mmCIF file of all heavy atoms in Angstrom:
data_model
loop_
_atom_site.group_PDB
_atom_site.id
_atom_site.type_symbol
_atom_site.label_atom_id
_atom_site.label_comp_id
_atom_site.label_asym_id
_atom_site.label_seq_id
_atom_site.Cartn_x
_atom_site.Cartn_y
_atom_site.Cartn_z
ATOM 1 N N ASN O 76 47.037 -53.828 55.236
ATOM 2 C CA ASN O 76 46.879 -52.883 54.128
ATOM 3 C C ASN O 76 45.458 -52.931 53.575
ATOM 4 O O ASN O 76 44.654 -53.793 53.930
ATOM 5 C CB ASN O 76 47.907 -53.151 53.024
ATOM 6 C CG ASN O 76 47.721 -54.507 52.364
ATOM 7 O OD1 ASN O 76 46.643 -54.868 51.920
ATOM 8 N ND2 ASN O 76 48.816 -55.271 52.286
ATOM 9 N N ASN O 78 44.229 -53.684 50.668
ATOM 10 C CA ASN O 78 43.849 -54.886 49.926
ATOM 11 C C ASN O 78 43.318 -55.953 50.867
ATOM 12 O O ASN O 78 42.269 -56.565 50.632
ATOM 13 C CB ASN O 78 45.063 -55.447 49.182
ATOM 14 C CG ASN O 78 45.380 -54.660 47.933
ATOM 15 O OD1 ASN O 78 44.685 -53.718 47.582
ATOM 16 N ND2 ASN O 78 46.445 -55.051 47.253
ATOM 17 N N LEU O 168 48.853 -40.312 49.406
ATOM 18 C CA LEU O 168 49.099 -41.038 50.645
ATOM 19 C C LEU O 168 50.300 -40.484 51.399
ATOM 20 O O LEU O 168 50.391 -40.603 52.614
ATOM 21 C CB LEU O 168 49.324 -42.519 50.330
ATOM 22 C CG LEU O 168 48.087 -43.312 49.895
ATOM 23 C CD1 LEU O 168 48.502 -44.729 49.532
ATOM 24 C CD2 LEU O 168 47.053 -43.337 50.995
ATOM 25 N N MET O 195 50.549 -47.228 54.616
ATOM 26 C CA MET O 195 49.260 -47.451 54.002
ATOM 27 C C MET O 195 49.327 -47.398 52.483
ATOM 28 O O MET O 195 48.394 -47.800 51.810
ATOM 29 C CB MET O 195 48.252 -46.413 54.505
ATOM 30 C CG MET O 195 48.069 -46.451 56.010
ATOM 31 S SD MET O 195 47.040 -45.106 56.607
ATOM 32 C CE MET O 195 45.446 -45.621 56.026
ATOM 33 N N ARG O 196 50.419 -46.890 51.899
ATOM 34 C CA ARG O 196 50.513 -46.817 50.444
ATOM 35 C C ARG O 196 50.761 -48.202 49.876
ATOM 36 O O ARG O 196 51.332 -49.079 50.519
ATOM 37 C CB ARG O 196 51.600 -45.851 50.010
ATOM 38 C CG ARG O 196 52.990 -46.369 50.093
ATOM 39 C CD ARG O 196 53.964 -45.349 49.534
ATOM 40 N NE ARG O 196 53.689 -45.069 48.137
ATOM 41 C CZ ARG O 196 54.234 -44.053 47.490
ATOM 42 N NH1 ARG O 196 55.022 -43.199 48.121
ATOM 43 N NH2 ARG O 196 53.979 -43.863 46.204
ATOM 44 N N LEU O 197 50.308 -48.442 48.652
ATOM 45 C CA LEU O 197 50.432 -49.747 48.042
ATOM 46 C C LEU O 197 51.678 -49.789 47.169
ATOM 47 O O LEU O 197 51.930 -48.862 46.388
ATOM 48 C CB LEU O 197 49.194 -50.045 47.185
ATOM 49 C CG LEU O 197 47.852 -50.064 47.923
ATOM 50 C CD1 LEU O 197 46.731 -50.343 46.930
ATOM 51 C CD2 LEU O 197 47.846 -51.108 49.026
ATOM 52 N N ASP O 198 52.445 -50.869 47.283
ATOM 53 C CA ASP O 198 53.572 -51.017 46.394
ATOM 54 C C ASP O 198 53.095 -51.657 45.088
ATOM 55 O O ASP O 198 51.922 -51.992 44.934
ATOM 56 C CB ASP O 198 54.690 -51.836 47.048
ATOM 57 C CG ASP O 198 54.232 -53.224 47.473
ATOM 58 O OD1 ASP O 198 53.294 -53.770 46.846
ATOM 59 O OD2 ASP O 198 54.810 -53.776 48.430
ATOM 60 N N LYS O 199 54.012 -51.819 44.139
ATOM 61 C CA LYS O 199 53.631 -52.329 42.821
ATOM 62 C C LYS O 199 52.984 -53.699 42.918
ATOM 63 O O LYS O 199 51.986 -53.982 42.240
ATOM 64 C CB LYS O 199 54.865 -52.390 41.915
ATOM 65 C CG LYS O 199 54.557 -52.873 40.506
ATOM 66 C CD LYS O 199 55.809 -52.856 39.641
ATOM 67 C CE LYS O 199 55.488 -53.361 38.235
ATOM 68 N NZ LYS O 199 56.691 -53.367 37.375
ATOM 69 N N ARG O 200 53.543 -54.556 43.750
ATOM 70 C CA ARG O 200 52.993 -55.909 43.895
ATOM 71 C C ARG O 200 51.569 -55.867 44.430
ATOM 72 O O ARG O 200 50.688 -56.608 43.982
ATOM 73 C CB ARG O 200 53.879 -56.739 44.829
ATOM 74 C CG ARG O 200 53.386 -58.173 45.032
ATOM 75 C CD ARG O 200 54.205 -58.873 46.106
ATOM 76 N NE ARG O 200 54.061 -58.203 47.376
ATOM 77 C CZ ARG O 200 53.011 -58.384 48.191
ATOM 78 N NH1 ARG O 200 52.026 -59.183 47.847
ATOM 79 N NH2 ARG O 200 52.961 -57.763 49.357
ATOM 80 N N GLN O 201 51.319 -54.988 45.414
ATOM 81 C CA GLN O 201 49.993 -54.881 45.999
ATOM 82 C C GLN O 201 48.980 -54.308 45.012
ATOM 83 O O GLN O 201 47.819 -54.695 45.009
ATOM 84 C CB GLN O 201 50.051 -54.026 47.266
ATOM 85 C CG GLN O 201 50.782 -54.692 48.424
ATOM 86 C CD GLN O 201 51.022 -53.750 49.583
ATOM 87 O OE1 GLN O 201 50.981 -52.529 49.428
ATOM 88 N NE2 GLN O 201 51.256 -54.303 50.757
ATOM 89 N N ILE O 202 49.443 -53.364 44.163
ATOM 90 C CA ILE O 202 48.557 -52.808 43.140
ATOM 91 C C ILE O 202 48.134 -53.895 42.162
ATOM 92 O O ILE O 202 46.951 -54.043 41.828
ATOM 93 C CB ILE O 202 49.254 -51.658 42.386
ATOM 94 C CG1 ILE O 202 49.449 -50.465 43.331
ATOM 95 C CG2 ILE O 202 48.433 -51.234 41.174
ATOM 96 C CD1 ILE O 202 50.283 -49.346 42.729
ATOM 97 N N GLU O 203 49.109 -54.689 41.696
ATOM 98 C CA GLU O 203 48.801 -55.765 40.760
ATOM 99 C C GLU O 203 47.901 -56.814 41.412
ATOM 100 O O GLU O 203 46.980 -57.345 40.779
ATOM 101 C CB GLU O 203 50.099 -56.409 40.272
ATOM 102 C CG GLU O 203 50.937 -55.472 39.409
ATOM 103 C CD GLU O 203 52.283 -56.051 39.059
ATOM 104 O OE1 GLU O 203 52.680 -57.072 39.695
ATOM 105 O OE2 GLU O 203 52.956 -55.502 38.167
ATOM 106 N N GLN O 204 48.160 -57.099 42.687
ATOM 107 C CA GLN O 204 47.329 -58.047 43.414
ATOM 108 C C GLN O 204 45.893 -57.532 43.525
ATOM 109 O O GLN O 204 44.941 -58.287 43.339
ATOM 110 C CB GLN O 204 47.903 -58.281 44.819
ATOM 111 C CG GLN O 204 47.046 -59.220 45.669
ATOM 112 C CD GLN O 204 47.575 -59.311 47.106
ATOM 113 O OE1 GLN O 204 48.657 -58.819 47.413
ATOM 114 N NE2 GLN O 204 46.802 -59.926 47.969
ATOM 115 N N ARG O 205 45.750 -56.227 43.795
ATOM 116 C CA ARG O 205 44.418 -55.646 43.926
ATOM 117 C C ARG O 205 43.651 -55.726 42.607
ATOM 118 O O ARG O 205 42.452 -56.037 42.590
ATOM 119 C CB ARG O 205 44.515 -54.195 44.405
ATOM 120 C CG ARG O 205 43.159 -53.478 44.521
ATOM 121 C CD ARG O 205 42.219 -54.269 45.438
ATOM 122 N NE ARG O 205 40.926 -53.641 45.526
ATOM 123 C CZ ARG O 205 40.561 -52.829 46.517
ATOM 124 N NH1 ARG O 205 41.415 -52.557 47.499
ATOM 125 N NH2 ARG O 205 39.358 -52.306 46.542
ATOM 126 N N ILE O 206 44.328 -55.481 41.491
ATOM 127 C CA ILE O 206 43.671 -55.559 40.194
ATOM 128 C C ILE O 206 43.149 -56.973 39.947
ATOM 129 O O ILE O 206 42.012 -57.168 39.492
ATOM 130 C CB ILE O 206 44.647 -55.139 39.075
ATOM 131 C CG1 ILE O 206 44.959 -53.638 39.180
ATOM 132 C CG2 ILE O 206 44.066 -55.447 37.693
ATOM 133 C CD1 ILE O 206 46.041 -53.156 38.235
ATOM 134 N N GLU O 207 43.980 -57.979 40.255
ATOM 135 C CA GLU O 207 43.562 -59.368 40.060
ATOM 136 C C GLU O 207 42.399 -59.739 40.983
ATOM 137 O O GLU O 207 41.462 -60.424 40.576
ATOM 138 C CB GLU O 207 44.747 -60.315 40.308
ATOM 139 C CG GLU O 207 45.809 -60.264 39.226
ATOM 140 C CD GLU O 207 45.255 -60.600 37.857
ATOM 141 O OE1 GLU O 207 44.464 -61.570 37.759
ATOM 142 O OE2 GLU O 207 45.583 -59.896 36.894
ATOM 143 N N GLU O 208 42.440 -59.267 42.211
ATOM 144 C CA GLU O 208 41.385 -59.608 43.155
ATOM 145 C C GLU O 208 40.079 -58.901 42.806
ATOM 146 O O GLU O 208 38.991 -59.450 42.998
ATOM 147 C CB GLU O 208 41.832 -59.269 44.579
ATOM 148 C CG GLU O 208 42.926 -60.200 45.065
ATOM 149 C CD GLU O 208 43.402 -59.896 46.471
ATOM 150 O OE1 GLU O 208 43.165 -58.765 46.947
ATOM 151 O OE2 GLU O 208 44.010 -60.780 47.083
ATOM 152 N N ASP O 209 40.175 -57.690 42.273
ATOM 153 C CA ASP O 209 38.965 -57.007 41.806
ATOM 154 C C ASP O 209 38.341 -57.765 40.640
ATOM 155 O O ASP O 209 37.115 -57.863 40.529
ATOM 156 C CB ASP O 209 39.295 -55.572 41.382
ATOM 157 C CG ASP O 209 39.410 -54.635 42.579
ATOM 158 O OD1 ASP O 209 39.017 -55.033 43.684
ATOM 159 O OD2 ASP O 209 39.905 -53.500 42.403
ATOM 160 N N ARG O 210 39.186 -58.304 39.774
ATOM 161 C CA ARG O 210 38.670 -59.110 38.667
ATOM 162 C C ARG O 210 37.949 -60.344 39.191
ATOM 163 O O ARG O 210 36.903 -60.739 38.667
ATOM 164 C CB ARG O 210 39.823 -59.524 37.748
ATOM 165 C CG ARG O 210 40.369 -58.395 36.881
ATOM 166 C CD ARG O 210 41.585 -58.851 36.110
ATOM 167 N NE ARG O 210 42.109 -57.785 35.269
ATOM 168 C CZ ARG O 210 43.304 -57.815 34.696
ATOM 169 N NH1 ARG O 210 44.097 -58.864 34.900
ATOM 170 N NH2 ARG O 210 43.716 -56.801 33.951
ATOM 171 N N ARG O 212 36.500 -60.676 42.136
ATOM 172 C CA ARG O 212 35.237 -60.266 42.753
ATOM 173 C C ARG O 212 34.179 -59.951 41.691
ATOM 174 O O ARG O 212 33.008 -60.299 41.844
ATOM 175 C CB ARG O 212 35.475 -59.063 43.663
ATOM 176 C CG ARG O 212 35.977 -59.439 45.046
ATOM 177 C CD ARG O 212 36.022 -58.230 45.961
ATOM 178 N NE ARG O 212 37.255 -57.478 45.798
ATOM 179 C CZ ARG O 212 38.354 -57.698 46.521
ATOM 180 N NH1 ARG O 212 38.367 -58.630 47.440
ATOM 181 N NH2 ARG O 212 39.445 -56.967 46.337
ATOM 182 N N ARG O 256 39.994 -45.309 35.818
ATOM 183 C CA ARG O 256 40.599 -46.240 36.763
ATOM 184 C C ARG O 256 41.994 -46.662 36.295
ATOM 185 O O ARG O 256 42.930 -46.736 37.083
ATOM 186 C CB ARG O 256 39.701 -47.474 36.902
ATOM 187 C CG ARG O 256 40.246 -48.503 37.869
ATOM 188 C CD ARG O 256 39.246 -49.589 38.106
ATOM 189 N NE ARG O 256 39.812 -50.600 38.970
ATOM 190 C CZ ARG O 256 39.142 -51.647 39.416
ATOM 191 N NH1 ARG O 256 37.891 -51.807 39.101
ATOM 192 N NH2 ARG O 256 39.718 -52.536 40.194
ATOM 193 N N ASP O 257 42.125 -46.942 34.968
ATOM 194 C CA ASP O 257 43.433 -47.307 34.431
ATOM 195 C C ASP O 257 44.421 -46.157 34.598
ATOM 196 O O ASP O 257 45.601 -46.370 34.892
ATOM 197 C CB ASP O 257 43.307 -47.674 32.948
ATOM 198 C CG ASP O 257 42.546 -48.971 32.732
ATOM 199 O OD1 ASP O 257 42.443 -49.739 33.700
ATOM 200 O OD2 ASP O 257 42.069 -49.192 31.612
ATOM 201 N N ALA O 259 44.366 -43.883 36.958
ATOM 202 C CA ALA O 259 44.744 -43.796 38.374
ATOM 203 C C ALA O 259 45.792 -44.849 38.713
ATOM 204 O O ALA O 259 46.768 -44.581 39.413
ATOM 205 C CB ALA O 259 43.508 -43.975 39.256
ATOM 206 N N ALA O 260 45.598 -46.072 38.191
ATOM 207 C CA ALA O 260 46.561 -47.144 38.463
ATOM 208 C C ALA O 260 47.926 -46.801 37.864
ATOM 209 O O ALA O 260 48.968 -47.023 38.482
ATOM 210 C CB ALA O 260 46.044 -48.461 37.886
ATOM 211 N N ALA O 261 47.906 -46.223 36.655
ATOM 212 C CA ALA O 261 49.176 -45.855 36.012
ATOM 213 C C ALA O 261 49.874 -44.744 36.801
ATOM 214 O O ALA O 261 51.105 -44.762 36.934
ATOM 215 C CB ALA O 261 48.901 -45.388 34.576
ATOM 216 N N ALA O 262 49.094 -43.818 37.322
ATOM 217 C CA ALA O 262 49.682 -42.736 38.105
ATOM 218 C C ALA O 262 50.328 -43.258 39.377
ATOM 219 O O ALA O 262 51.407 -42.825 39.777
ATOM 220 C CB ALA O 262 48.599 -41.695 38.445
ATOM 221 N N MET O 263 49.654 -44.235 40.010
ATOM 222 C CA MET O 263 50.200 -44.837 41.222
ATOM 223 C C MET O 263 51.500 -45.568 40.910
ATOM 224 O O MET O 263 52.472 -45.496 41.653
ATOM 225 C CB MET O 263 49.180 -45.778 41.853
ATOM 226 C CG MET O 263 47.944 -45.083 42.409
ATOM 227 S SD MET O 263 46.731 -46.241 43.068
ATOM 228 C CE MET O 263 47.588 -46.773 44.550
ATOM 229 N N ARG O 264 51.528 -46.277 39.767
ATOM 230 C CA ARG O 264 52.769 -46.967 39.390
ATOM 231 C C ARG O 264 53.882 -45.971 39.130
ATOM 232 O O ARG O 264 55.045 -46.189 39.447
ATOM 233 C CB ARG O 264 52.521 -47.814 38.144
ATOM 234 C CG ARG O 264 51.624 -49.024 38.365
ATOM 235 C CD ARG O 264 51.651 -49.968 37.153
ATOM 236 N NE ARG O 264 50.799 -51.108 37.356
ATOM 237 C CZ ARG O 264 49.568 -51.214 36.891
ATOM 238 N NH1 ARG O 264 49.039 -50.199 36.215
ATOM 239 N NH2 ARG O 264 48.847 -52.297 37.106
ATOM 240 N N GLY O 265 53.522 -44.824 38.503
ATOM 241 C CA GLY O 265 54.515 -43.809 38.227
ATOM 242 C C GLY O 265 55.118 -43.239 39.506
ATOM 243 O O GLY O 265 56.319 -42.987 39.588
ATOM 244 N N ASP O 266 54.270 -43.048 40.533
ATOM 245 C CA ASP O 266 54.762 -42.547 41.808
ATOM 246 C C ASP O 266 55.736 -43.514 42.444
ATOM 247 O O ASP O 266 56.701 -43.127 43.121
ATOM 248 C CB ASP O 266 53.590 -42.307 42.764
ATOM 249 C CG ASP O 266 52.743 -41.112 42.335
ATOM 250 O OD1 ASP O 266 53.264 -40.293 41.562
ATOM 251 O OD2 ASP O 266 51.592 -41.021 42.768
ATOM 252 N N LEU O 267 55.451 -44.827 42.216
ATOM 253 C CA LEU O 267 56.347 -45.821 42.806
ATOM 254 C C LEU O 267 57.704 -45.814 42.133
ATOM 255 O O LEU O 267 58.688 -46.208 42.718
ATOM 256 C CB LEU O 267 55.704 -47.213 42.676
ATOM 257 C CG LEU O 267 54.416 -47.411 43.503
ATOM 258 C CD1 LEU O 267 53.804 -48.769 43.174
ATOM 259 C CD2 LEU O 267 54.759 -47.345 44.998
#
Side-chain angles (χ1 to χ4, degrees):
N76 64 52
N78 283 358
L168 288 176
M195 301 173 72
R196 78 176 299 168
L197 300 179
D198 58 28
K199 182 178 179 181
R200 180 187 62 81
Q201 290 171 340
I202 292 173
E203 293 174 346
Q204 177 186 351
R205 178 56 182 263
I206 292 173
E207 289 302 317
E208 290 180 341
D209 280 348
R210 286 174 179 166
R212 277 187 276 269
R256 180 172 177 176
D257 291 341
M263 293 177 72
R264 291 191 180 98
D266 290 340
L267 294 174

